[in-house]
Amino acid sequence: EPEVTQTPSHQVTQMGQEVILRCVPISNHLYFYWYRQILGQKVEFLVSFYNNEISEKSEIFDDQFSVERPDGSNFTLKIRSTKLEDSAMYFCASSSGTLYNQPQHFGDGTRLSIL
Amino acid sequence: AQKVTQAQTEISVVEKEDVTLDCVYETRDTTYYLFWYKQPPSGELVFLIRRNSFDEQNEISGRYSWNFQKSTSSFNFTITASQVVDSAVYFCALTDSGNTPLVFGKGTRLSVIA
């Protein structure tokens, strides 16, 4: 069964450094998402992406964050200058975008640790 | 604004017991979708079920069953004859029609003890 893949599974970065989290959505999906889960808390929406542009973003998704679909397969989340509070599990998700709201399929996540 | 409440933070049961995880939601939309996801200790999110607001039929899948009641804005999840492998955090989530973002509850941590 096709799946969303995320790399790396764990990223350790010094505070203030830039980090890029990578995702390969399911190949025929059209909508892409990033969510964040701080340890022990709920999953929170960051941003959605459709037709090569951001379709919606939350208040968490401030100027330090950006997303890109650099080619036909990858979907990346960049954090420009990481802060301690960016430590979290980051999930990528994709959905097919068909009429009946197919479920969002999630990757296994990238655990980001900021030191 | 949409909201999902999972009042049970943690539940602990002995293997083979039945357990029900509660989910109460708030939305002003007449069309919406409800989901349950499982997050095992390894951390990934596993899709379990989607239910749209027009379909109030209860669903059973093996040991899992879901009870959707619009009158009480609830979408509860029951595991029958629980097993140790069911130990995980379970999230209920809500979205309106289209491909809008999911709003998650805070999750319920289920521990099944052998």
Side-chain angles (χ1 to χ4, degrees):
Chain A
E1 185 175 320
E3 57 183 28
V4 176
T5 57
Q6 290 186 244
T7 55
S9 56
H10 191 188
Q11 173 82 44
V12 182
T13 300
Q14 292 288 332
M15 187 172 60
Q17 296 294 307
E18 175 182 286
V19 66
I20 297 176
L21 309 183
R22 303 182 190 280
C23 169
V24 179
I26 294 173
S27 63
N28 63 345
H29 282 188
L30 301 176
Y31 289 81
F32 314 115
Y33 310 83
W34 283 102
Y35 291 83
R36 179 182 82 176
Q37 184 184 28
I38 294 171
L39 185 64
Q41 298 188 22
K42 67 178 179 180
V43 180
E44 301 174 291
F45 166 72
L46 291 177
V47 65
S48 58
F49 194 84
Y50 171 72
N51 200 25
N52 287 318
E53 60 183 24
I54 290 174
S55 50
E56 193 168 343
K57 60 183 181 179
S58 72
E59 57 191 24
I60 301 170
F61 193 86
D62 61 23
D63 291 344
Q64 70 163 335
F65 292 95
S66 62
V67 289
E68 197 177 36
R69 188 157 163 81
D71 52 42
S73 58
N74 289 284
F75 179 51
T76 62
L77 174 69
K78 182 192 290 186
I79 309 175
R80 255 179 280 281
S81 178
T82 50
K83 298 178 273 193
L84 292 175
E85 53 264 38
D86 293 328
S87 294
M89 180 79 96
Y90 288 81
F91 290 102
C92 175
S94 69
S95 65
S96 62
T98 55
L99 179 63
Y100 295 107
N101 196 330
Q102 295 301 306
Q104 294 175 24
H105 293 268
F106 285 79
D108 288 349
T110 293
R111 184 170 300 284
L112 177 62
S113 300
I114 307 300
L115 304 179
Chain B
Q2 297 177 327
K3 185 178 177 182
V4 175
T5 301
Q6 295 180 255
Q8 304 151 308
T9 306
E10 293 191 36
I11 300 176
S12 186
V13 299
V14 176
E15 204 171 21
K16 298 183 184 176
E17 286 185 353
D18 298 347
V19 59
T20 295
L21 310 182
D22 298 334
C23 172
V24 173
Y25 62 91
E26 296 176 29
T27 181
R28 293 183 180 175
D29 298 306
T30 54
T31 301
Y32 52 89
Y33 296 81
L34 294 160
F35 302 79
W36 277 95
Y37 286 85
K38 174 182 179 180
Q39 187 175 43
S42 48
E44 70 271 24
L45 286 168
V46 179
F47 166 74
L48 295 177
I49 190 172
R50 177 190 73 245
R51 180 56 93 223
N52 73 57
S53 53
F54 299 112
D55 182 3
E56 286 194 72
Q57 276 192 342
N58 292 330
E59 180 155 340
I60 297 174
S61 176
R63 296 185 296 108
Y64 294 172
S65 62
W66 290 270
N67 183 357
F68 176 31
Q69 293 199 347
K70 287 179 77 170
S71 60
T72 56
S73 297
S74 65
F75 186 44
N76 296 337
F77 173 30
T78 297
I79 302 174
T80 303
S82 58
Q83 300 176 359
V84 173
V85 294
D86 296 327
S87 297
V89 180
Y90 291 86
F91 290 97
C92 182
L94 167 70
T95 185
D96 62 13
S97 59
N99 291 282
T100 50
L102 293 168
V103 174
F104 284 83
K106 292 185 176 181
T108 297
R109 181 178 299 278
L110 173 66
S111 299
V112 181
I113 304 164

